[in-house]
Amino acid sequence: QVQLVESGGGLVQAGGSLRLSCAASGRTFSTYAMAWFRRAPGKEREFVSGISWGYGTYYADSVKGRFTISRDDAKNMLYLQMNSLKLEDTAIYYCAARGSPTVVRTTPGYDYWGQGTQVTVSS
């Protein structure tokens, strides 16, 4: 059974940093594209960042230069380093895996999802 479990969320002041982690189990994800999405209150789930099988990285314009995605395939782990956090980064963050090497930015493109971890940025 495939499982994605996020951790690392919490409450942080604006300008601070958090590092999200996603532990994948149930299969080897080294050939899968992985991504982070988020859903802010009252909004649709949106793409934040993705990383391909070949370690190509992709970011939403709103987080470019502040967030860094990485993966450790030996450990089946996905990470999101979030710096210079803003109030508008407050959301539930989801880890997702796609049964294809390439990243897409739409939610239907992903086969597996975690339960999410809450990130709250305060002023």
Side-chain angles (χ1 to χ4, degrees):
Q1 182 178 356
V2 174
Q3 193 172 21
L4 301 175
V5 179
E6 303 94 337
S7 61
L11 175 65
V12 63
Q13 285 192 322
S17 298
L18 281 175
R19 187 193 194 207
L20 304 184
S21 299
C22 173
S25 61
R27 66 176 63 224
T28 300
F29 285 87
S30 59
T31 59
Y32 281 51
M34 306 286 290
W36 290 96
F37 285 75
R38 68 185 180 188
R39 187 178 69 222
K43 295 188 176 181
E44 297 291 321
R45 194 175 300 194
E46 65 174 1
F47 174 84
V48 174
S49 181
I51 185 165
S52 70
W53 166 70
Y55 295 90
T57 57
Y58 306 84
Y59 297 94
D61 288 343
S62 59
V63 307
K64 200 172 294 182
R66 299 188 298 121
F67 290 11
T68 302
I69 192 171
S70 62
R71 63 192 296 170
D72 184 339
D73 290 332
K75 298 180 179 179
N76 260 6
M77 292 292 295
L78 178 72
Y79 305 100
L80 185 68
Q81 178 66 43
M82 305 187 296
N83 299 329
S84 302
L85 283 162
K86 303 177 180 180
L87 297 178
E88 52 264 41
D89 294 320
T90 294
I92 301 172
Y93 283 72
Y94 299 90
C95 171
R98 167 175 161 81
S100 168
T102 57
V103 171
V104 296
R105 296 174 181 248
T106 57
T107 54
Y110 289 81
D111 303 297
Y112 306 104
W113 291 86
Q115 292 300 305
T117 185
Q118 176 71 48
V119 171
T120 303
V121 183
S122 65
S123 59

